[in-house]
């Protein structure tokens, strides 16, 4: 385990007595003068080439707990719940690798999360990957520690099984939450080959345990062939709102997200984004690809449409590097995680126009 913190860019540079740090945020600049609180910053390529440095998310400082953090990046390298192609256990590592291209300012929205939130990469969850139910207990226990003081976890999966124990920990902290679920699949199967815990069952288990409010849950991007003509009947009967992928074709999803925000209001909400929601022409590196999916632009509209919601956790799951030959799926996942960071509560926005 790494020591508690690998310091900020400014601290590392000052210690090394090397190059002057480039691109410090307003907060860091003021803090150097004894003013505002200093926040962690991604390592700038003007100081360290993108091929160098510790491979944390955006090369942020790394620590092994959430002390002093408002939000954290965390990996769950698990794929033994997957039913088709495996490999998503390597997702967190590859997402971190591709995240080196990201920069701290969101040009489109004006969000500068590192000016207002203290963020670090807290590493990966240790777990027994040979026993899925036991692994879920480990995940729940680990996340209970991460969220106990209000730190918001942004998770790199890992297959979609992991959202179930994460939601268990979220409920322990916040109670029953609303859910924005973006996916090609509804993940509400009762069992798969007799197993109750898989990547196809997390939201059935979540509803059974009152982890999510079905009447404040929306599933976006569902598609593909099915075993029955009423593939979504169960969750619809419980109150879920279903938006199938073909209902999203050739249109902006900004109006949809306004409706979602009106439905949820100011209640705690969890965002779970399966990369297979995006068409495999854009993101082929995933375990259960389905054609006719969302575009990356629509993915951005969904996440940016969550601005103003009381997000208490987010995940990006099912990136499978062995099927991601050019790295574009992991790169897209890294960008979507940054977008999630940009819409967390208390993030500062600037008008650059």
């Amino acid at each position: 385990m790494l020591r508690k913190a690998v310091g900020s860019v400014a601290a590392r540079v000052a210690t090394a007595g090397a190059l002057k740090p480039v691109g410090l945020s307003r907060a860091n600049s003021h803090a150097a003068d004894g003013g505002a609180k200093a926040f962690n910053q991604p390592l700038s390529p003007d100081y360290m080439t993108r091929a160098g440095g510790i491979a944390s998310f955006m090369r942020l400082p790394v620590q092994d707990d959430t002390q002093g953090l408002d939000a954290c990046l965390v990996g769950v390298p698990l794929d033994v719940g997957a039913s088709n192609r495996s490999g998503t256990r390597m997702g967190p590592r590859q997402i971190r690798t591709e995240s080196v291209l990201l920069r701290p300012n969101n040009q489109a929205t004006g969000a500068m999360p590192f000016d207002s939130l203290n963020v670090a990469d807290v590493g990966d969850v240790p777990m027994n990957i040979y026993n899925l139910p036991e692994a879920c207990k480990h995940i729940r226990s680990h996340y209970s520690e991460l969220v106990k003081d209000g730190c918001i976890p942004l998770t790199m999966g890992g297959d979609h099984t992991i959202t179930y124990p994460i939601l268990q920990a979220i409920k322990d902290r916040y109670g029953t939450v609303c859910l924005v679920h973006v996916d090609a699949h509804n993940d509400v199967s009762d069992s798969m080959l007799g197993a109750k815990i898989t990547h196809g069952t997390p939201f059935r288990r979540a509803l059974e345990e009152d982890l999510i409010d079905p009447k404040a849950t929306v599933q976006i991007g569902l598609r593909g062939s099915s075993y029955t003509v009423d593939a979504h009947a169960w969750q619809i009967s419980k109150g879920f709102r279903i938006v199938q992928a073909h209902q999203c074709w050739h249109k902006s999803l900004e109006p949809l997200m306004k409706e979602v925000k009106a439905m949820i209001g100011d209640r705690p909400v969890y965002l779970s984004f399966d990369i297979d929601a995006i068409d495999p022409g854009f993101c082929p590196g995933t375990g259960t690809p389905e054609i006719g999916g969302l575009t990356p632009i629509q993915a951005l509209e969904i996440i940016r449409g969550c601005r103003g919601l009381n997000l208490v956790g987010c995940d990006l799951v099912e990136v499978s590097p062995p099927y991601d030959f050019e790295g574009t799926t992991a790169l897209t996942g890294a960008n979507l995680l940054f977008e999630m960071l940009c819409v967390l509560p208390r993030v500062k926005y600037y008008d650059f126009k």
Side-chain angles (χ1 to χ4, degrees):
M1 189 71 73
L2 291 170
R3 63 191 176 88
K4 180 165 293 186
V6 178
S8 67
V9 176
R12 286 195 293 273
V13 174
T15 300
L19 299 173
K20 292 183 179 180
V22 178
L24 289 178
S25 72
R26 296 170 181 82
N28 268 287
S29 299
H30 294 168
D33 298 326
K37 174 184 176 182
F39 296 109
N40 293 334
Q41 298 295 305
L43 185 60
S44 170
D46 290 324
Y47 167 68
M48 171 64 74
T49 175
R50 287 194 172 100
I54 295 174
S56 59
F57 187 83
M58 291 183 70
R59 300 191 297 179
L60 281 162
V62 177
Q63 61 185 67
D64 58 14
D65 60 24
T66 58
Q67 183 177 349
L69 298 182
D70 302 300
C72 66
L73 280 299
V74 56
V76 187
L78 178 79
D79 63 8
V80 292
S83 60
N84 192 43
R85 305 191 305 204
S86 61
T88 193
R89 70 178 66 186
M90 304 303 295
R93 178 171 295 181
Q94 193 62 33
I95 290 170
R96 288 181 171 111
T97 296
E98 299 297 341
S99 74
V100 70
L101 187 59
L102 296 171
R103 306 161 188 90
N105 169 36
N106 190 320
Q107 290 191 66
T109 67
M112 296 189 69
F114 303 108
D115 270 19
S116 41
L117 301 178
N118 204 30
V119 187
D121 190 322
V122 296
D124 296 329
V125 177
M127 62 199 152
N128 181 0
I129 62 171
Y130 303 107
N131 184 321
L132 189 53
E134 186 174 346
C136 286
K137 293 178 182 178
H138 295 157
I139 296 168
R140 178 180 183 173
S141 176
H142 194 89
Y143 272 78
S144 292
E145 287 298 310
L146 293 180
V147 305
K148 66 180 182 180
D149 294 321
C151 182
I152 301 174
L154 290 86
T155 300
M156 300 168 279
D159 72 53
H160 223 149
T161 308
I162 69 175
T163 305
Y164 166 48
I166 293 173
L167 284 171
Q168 289 179 317
I170 291 289
K171 183 187 178 183
D172 292 341
R173 175 65 172 78
Y174 297 100
T176 303
V177 297
C178 310
L179 176 69
V180 177
H181 173 209
V182 191
D183 202 324
H185 311 98
N186 59 33
D187 293 354
V188 295
S189 296
D190 184 40
S191 65
M192 299 178 72
L193 295 177
K196 292 285 191 176
I197 299 176
T198 75
H199 77 158
T201 65
F203 301 110
R204 170 81 68 133
R205 302 287 86 82
L207 185 56
E208 290 173 345
E209 296 181 22
D210 198 31
L211 310 182
I212 58 174
D213 179 354
K215 293 181 171 56
T217 292
V218 59
Q219 295 184 310
I220 305 170
L222 306 185
R223 63 187 189 279
S225 53
S226 63
Y227 297 106
T228 64
V229 296
D230 57 351
H232 305 305
W234 182 85
Q235 72 267 38
I236 291 173
S237 72
K238 302 298 182 182
F240 287 30
R241 179 175 179 182
I242 304 302
V243 183
Q244 298 188 61
H246 67 264
Q247 297 172 295
C248 302
W249 291 352
H250 315 300
K251 65 177 68 172
S252 168
L253 299 188
E254 288 184 354
L256 169 64
M257 293 311 297
K258 289 180 180 178
E259 295 173 8
V260 170
K261 290 174 71 173
M263 174 184 73
I264 292 173
D266 61 359
R267 299 173 59 192
V269 57
Y270 188 87
L271 170 61
S272 184
F273 199 115
D274 188 323
I275 202 69
D276 71 20
I278 301 176
D279 189 88
F282 298 106
C283 292
T286 191
T288 318
E290 307 281 1
I291 67 167
L294 305 178
T295 68
I297 292 172
Q298 290 174 316
L300 291 175
E301 288 180 323
I302 291 170
I303 296 174
R304 291 175 182 175
C306 291
R307 179 182 175 184
L309 290 177
N310 183 20
L311 286 165
V312 295
C314 309
D315 65 50
L316 190 290
V317 298
E318 300 283 1
V319 170
S320 182
Y323 298 93
D324 191 26
F325 305 116
E326 296 177 347
T328 52
T329 309
L331 177 65
T332 302
N335 275 271
L336 296 183
L337 281 159
F338 173 69
E339 293 285 340
M340 293 174 189
L341 182 62
C342 288
V343 297
L344 294 185
R346 305 194 312 279
V347 167
K348 294 179 180 177
Y349 283 75
Y350 298 91
D351 185 0
F352 297 105
K353 298 178 182 178

